Amino acid sequence: MVFVHLQSFLKVEESVMLLSIFCLFIVIVAVQFLYYIVVFGKFSFAKHQTVTPKRVPISVIVCAKNEEENVRTLIPLLVEQNYPQFEIVLIDDASSDNTLEVFEEFEKLHSNIKLVKVENNEAFWGNKKYALTLGIKAAKNEYLLFTDADCVPNSKEWITTMSSQFTAEKTIVLGYGAYEKIAGSFLNKIIRFETLLSATQYFSWAKLGKPYMGVGRNLAYKREEFFKVRGFMDHMKVRSGDDDLFINQAAEAKNTTVCYVPESFTYSKPKTSFKDWFTQKRRHVSTAKHYKIFDQNQLGIFYTSQLLFLILPIVLLAFQYQWIAVISIIGFRYIFAWITMGFAAGKLKEKDVMYWFPIIEIVLIVTQLNVFITNTFSKPVHWK
């Protein structure tokens, strides 16, 4: 008799537990719906941008450390930009290869190239933010456009399209820094989907009036915004974050806009091994703990909901609990997420990665959890 009562009690407990998990699963999908449709939809379903050239004088700033081969490719593409008035500020951050020599060669050939030579400073040893600060101060124009040494602009209209979004009020422009496609590489698809998802997030929140990050591969702002927040001083000791931590501090609803016309994109060479990509992700994720509390929370809620969406239905289906409803909810979630990200992928020219969406998403969720655990026990390596 006691055994029968115990069995009945355990069944009741199991039913209560599974009901609780099922209810939590519904809440998680509702949270995902709010993110994908309400938040991300702000960018995904937005109209295509039009470009009205402003023709304000621009200083293009490139900071390089041991990038000899990359800058040989980049500088000619910058020089050929179809823009009436711009200079190129090349910052050599104490390179040990021939980067400085390459810069000097181009400086002799082009009058609109300005070279900034950075020597190692004991207080800011190997700190990219120190080198960038010197370049920003050396620039002659108030409007600054940034890219990395391993990037290339997507067109000769890169400066035109990025600067076109400046207005009297909008003095920070967030651009899209894409990664080159590598045929037959699944890792490349993962990297490009993650970049797509990240851009959809920061573009959407910027459109909602809560900008929280940008990427140094493609970023523009007026110099006064830099000095308003004392440059990088408040996070100088954090080796990463010359782009996202600065934007997190300086960007507001009234001063920030986005640019996503294809001519404004930049492209970088992606990592080709999982180990290198994982190390890169560790660096990027390590800066998020320095974001404003609201931004940390909204990112945390999103990624937690991603993880729970992966775990909870596995538990429910393992017990065959309301399996028809569970599968229907899973299908509903994938439909609205696929539609939202599909529209975003169309805008950012990344449609091919969407064919692999469910698989890539699972890989990213597991990788994100692994990054969090790894960063908890060891610090990532930063600027070269």
Side-chain angles (χ1 to χ4, degrees), residues 91-121:
I91 309 166
D92 174 60
D93 189 12
S95 296
S96 58
D97 67 356
N98 293 321
T99 297
L100 178 58
E101 287 74 9
V102 174
F103 279 174
E104 290 172 337
E105 290 174 15
F106 281 104
E107 185 185 31
K108 293 175 182 177
L109 295 173
H110 304 283
S111 60
N112 65 334
I113 288 182
K114 179 180 293 183
L115 179 56
V116 176
K117 304 175 185 179
V118 180
E119 296 182 1
N120 279 321
N121 181 297

Side-chain angles (χ1 to χ4, degrees), residues 94-234:
S95 296
S96 58
D97 67 356
N98 293 321
T99 297
L100 178 58
E101 287 74 9
V102 174
F103 279 174
E104 290 172 337
E105 290 174 15
F106 281 104
E107 185 185 31
K108 293 175 182 177
L109 295 173
H110 304 283
S111 60
N112 65 334
I113 288 182
K114 179 180 293 183
L115 179 56
V116 176
K117 304 175 185 179
V118 180
E119 296 182 1
N120 279 321
N121 181 297
E122 186 174 348
F124 306 111
W125 190 271
N127 195 325
K128 183 182 179 182
K129 294 175 184 176
Y130 171 67
L132 276 172
T133 300
L134 297 183
I136 290 168
K137 290 181 176 180
K140 71 177 182 180
N141 299 316
E142 287 301 307
Y143 289 92
L144 313 174
L145 177 55
F146 297 82
T147 192
D148 286 343
D150 62 346
C151 295
V152 293
N154 192 38
S155 74
K156 292 183 179 181
E157 306 302 320
W158 173 57
I159 299 178
T160 299
T161 50
M162 284 293 289
S163 63
S164 72
Q165 302 305 313
F166 281 124
T167 66
E169 296 79 23
K170 302 298 184 182
T171 50
I172 297 176
V173 181
L174 310 180
Y176 182 52
Y179 284 102
E180 296 174 354
K181 298 179 182 180
I182 300 177
S185 170
F186 185 64
L187 174 62
N188 180 254
K189 288 181 174 61
I190 295 173
I191 292 171
R192 289 192 294 116
F193 178 82
E194 184 199 24
T195 306
L196 164 66
L197 177 59
S198 177
T200 301
Q201 289 177 280
Y202 70 75
F203 280 156
S204 297
W205 282 107
K207 280 181 164 289
L208 284 168
K210 298 292 291 183
Y212 73 93
M213 69 160 283
V215 293
R217 303 189 301 276
N218 200 4
L219 177 66
Y221 51 82
K222 198 172 181 181
R223 181 158 44 188
E224 65 182 28
E225 297 293 350
F226 183 77
F227 291 114
K228 277 181 186 177
V229 295
R230 303 192 311 140
F232 305 124
M233 287 306 298
D234 289 349

Side-chain angles (χ1 to χ4, degrees), residues 252-320:
E252 302 171 351
K254 63 182 179 181
N255 70 353
T256 304
T257 188
V258 301
C259 184
Y260 52 89
V261 293
E263 292 80 8
S264 72
F265 299 169
T266 61
Y267 282 87
S268 304
K269 288 180 170 55
K271 301 299 182 183
T272 54
S273 74
F274 185 86
K275 180 180 178 181
D276 290 342
W277 173 62
F278 187 80
T279 301
Q280 183 184 56
K281 273 190 64 62
R282 288 187 62 199
R283 290 198 300 267
H284 293 167
V285 170
S286 68
T287 63
K289 64 182 180 182
H290 301 284
Y291 288 178
K292 295 172 185 174
I293 295 299
F294 174 85
D295 302 318
Q296 289 186 47
N297 288 339
Q298 66 89 357
L299 287 170
I301 291 170
F302 176 69
Y303 287 115
T304 300
S305 72
Q306 295 279 80
L307 180 61
L308 289 177
F309 174 75
L310 185 63
I311 294 173
L312 296 181
I314 293 176
V315 175
L316 293 169
L317 292 174
F319 285 91
Q320 296 185 353

